[in-house]
Amino acid sequence: QVQLVESGGGLVQPGGSLNLSCVASGSTANIYEMGWYRQSPGKERTLVASVDGDGRTNIPRSGAGRFTISRNIPSNLLHLRMNNLKPEDTAGYYCRARGKAVDASYDYWGKGTQVTVYS
């Protein structure tokens, strides 16, 4: 099992920046992909950015050019740098880890951290 704890959310003005962090603990050796998702009330949870074990990233157009994801495997840390934030970025941000074992695959989620972009 894997535990994920996010931090770094808060209130920021439009055009500002935030750095989110996710700490993974437990059975982290079999994690092969990690990512950030966000969800607003009444909306579906959507991908913000992900990175695999080879360092390849996937960032949808909503964050392309503004967001950067990175993973420090030895430290079990996942980071998200968000620049030029917009009101539509307001959401709960959730850390996700995907792991593999011989007999199964697993998905793990953190409790989330709130990001609010407001003047």
Side-chain angles (χ1 to χ4, degrees):
Q1 56 187 15
V2 173
Q3 295 79 46
L4 304 172
V5 180
E6 304 97 331
S7 63
L11 177 65
V12 63
Q13 294 184 340
S17 300
L18 280 176
N19 294 296
L20 305 184
S21 297
C22 173
V23 181
S25 61
S27 302
T28 60
N30 293 324
I31 295 175
Y32 68 90
E33 184 179 280
M34 297 187 72
W36 289 94
Y37 291 72
R38 67 187 182 188
Q39 186 171 28
S40 300
K43 303 292 183 64
E44 64 181 3
R45 186 169 296 187
T46 59
L47 174 68
V48 177
S50 65
V51 58
D52 66 16
D54 295 319
R56 290 172 292 197
T57 61
N58 179 25
I59 304 178
R61 293 195 65 183
S62 60
R66 299 188 298 128
F67 298 174
T68 302
I69 189 171
S70 61
R71 181 186 175 195
N72 188 317
I73 295 177
S75 300
N76 296 311
L77 293 173
L78 181 72
H79 300 286
L80 179 68
R81 171 69 175 179
M82 301 188 291
N83 294 323
N84 192 25
L85 284 162
K86 305 174 181 180
E88 50 263 45
D89 295 318
T90 296
Y93 283 70
Y94 300 86
C95 181
R96 179 199 184 188
R98 304 178 70 181
K100 288 184 177 180
V102 174
D103 57 342
S105 60
Y106 305 92
D107 285 308
Y108 303 96
W109 292 91
K111 297 296 184 181
T113 184
Q114 179 67 33
V115 171
T116 302
V117 185
Y118 178 68
S119 299

